[in-house]
């Protein structure tokens, strides 16, 4: 049930690829990769950004610990494998999103590669034959960014909670 947020995120990507990539002759046309030199505002995004927080607007209990303990802090309810998520943005517009690659004994490893661009506060990502646009907000020192979307989260009792969820990614290393 914890994975509902991640499945929702990647389900949205998959659904988006159907909307963007369909034609009348049943062939899938993937969106074109982003190209060109980086502009000044994009240089601050270069590097690796690790998932450091997930906060929901409404309390939800997604842990199967036989205790009713709903929290807005989704991150503390995640396993180490689910918390192990990061973006790496390169200077040639290449990006990688990886989950479960660094934590021990992760069975649901995920890696998406593609291209990226940043325009104002919109992070455009093209990967796995789909396009995604995320509104991001940097903190004052530009050492972290957040993105918020609305999700349906199923709690441990099978109830669905619709809520905004904010993901925070913190810069761990720069890329030149």
């Amino acid at each position: 049930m914890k994975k509902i947020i991640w499945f929702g995120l990647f389900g949205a990507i998959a659904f988006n690829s159907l909307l963007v990539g369909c034609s009348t002759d049943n062939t899938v046309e993937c969106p074109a990769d982003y190209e060109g030199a980086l502009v000044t505002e994009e240089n601050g995004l270069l590097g690796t950004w690790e998932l450091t927080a997930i906060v929901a607007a409404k309390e939800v209990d997604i842990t199967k610990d036989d205790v009713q303990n709903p929290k807005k802090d989704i991150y503390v309810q995640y396993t180490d494998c689910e918390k192990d998520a990061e973006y790496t943005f390169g200077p040639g517009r290449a990006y990688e999103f990886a989950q479960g690659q660094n934590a021990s004994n992760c069975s649901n490893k995920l890696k998406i590669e593609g291209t990226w661009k940043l325009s104002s506060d919109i992070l455009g990502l093209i990967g796995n034959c789909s396009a995604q646009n995320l509104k991001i907000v940097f903190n004052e020192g530009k050492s972290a960014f957040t993105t918020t979307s609305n999700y349906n989260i199923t709690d441990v009792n099978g109830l669905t909670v619709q809520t905004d969820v904010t993901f925070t990614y913190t810069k761990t290393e720069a890329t030149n």
Side-chain angles (χ1 to χ4, degrees):
M1 287 188 214
K2 294 179 193 178
K3 294 175 180 56
I4 205 97
I5 293 173
W6 290 109
F7 290 133
L9 177 65
F10 297 111
I13 292 171
F15 181 71
N16 191 18
S17 70
L18 289 174
L19 294 177
V20 172
C22 292
S23 67
T24 58
D25 65 359
N26 293 329
T27 60
V28 176
E29 293 183 32
C30 296
D33 285 337
Y34 294 120
E35 297 177 339
L38 300 182
V39 297
T40 303
E41 75 171 308
E42 293 175 308
N43 289 327
L45 198 58
L46 294 173
T48 300
W49 300 77
E50 178 182 350
L51 178 65
T52 54
I54 306 171
V55 178
K58 296 178 184 174
E59 290 186 337
V60 63
D61 183 1
I62 59 174
T63 57
K64 290 185 179 183
D65 58 3
D66 296 323
V67 177
Q68 292 293 322
N69 54 351
K71 296 177 177 66
K72 290 183 178 181
D73 188 346
I74 302 297
Y75 188 81
V76 298
Q77 300 181 68
Y78 266 26
T79 66
D80 288 344
C81 291
E82 292 166 328
K83 292 177 186 177
D84 178 23
E86 65 185 22
Y87 282 101
T88 301
F89 299 99
R93 294 216 176 271
Y95 88 91
E96 177 182 278
F97 176 81
Q99 183 180 13
Q101 303 295 316
N102 302 310
S104 299
N105 301 317
C106 297
S107 59
N108 291 328
K109 294 183 178 199
L110 174 70
K111 193 178 282 190
I112 297 174
E113 296 176 334
T115 58
W116 69 278
K117 75 172 183 173
L118 180 63
S119 180
S120 298
D121 58 353
I122 303 297
L123 174 60
L125 302 171
I126 295 179
N128 287 358
C129 199
S130 66
Q132 184 179 22
N133 291 305
L134 302 172
K135 179 178 171 73
I136 65 172
V137 177
F138 285 99
N139 66 354
E140 188 175 321
K142 295 208 175 198
S143 61
F145 71 83
T146 60
T147 182
T148 302
S149 294
N150 192 269
Y151 293 96
N152 289 323
I153 303 172
T154 303
D155 71 8
V156 293
N157 299 315
L159 299 173
T160 300
V161 177
Q162 184 177 33
T163 185
D164 286 340
V165 179
T166 300
F167 296 83
T168 301
Y169 290 87
T170 303
K171 194 170 210 175
T172 60
E173 66 182 65
T175 302
N176 295 325

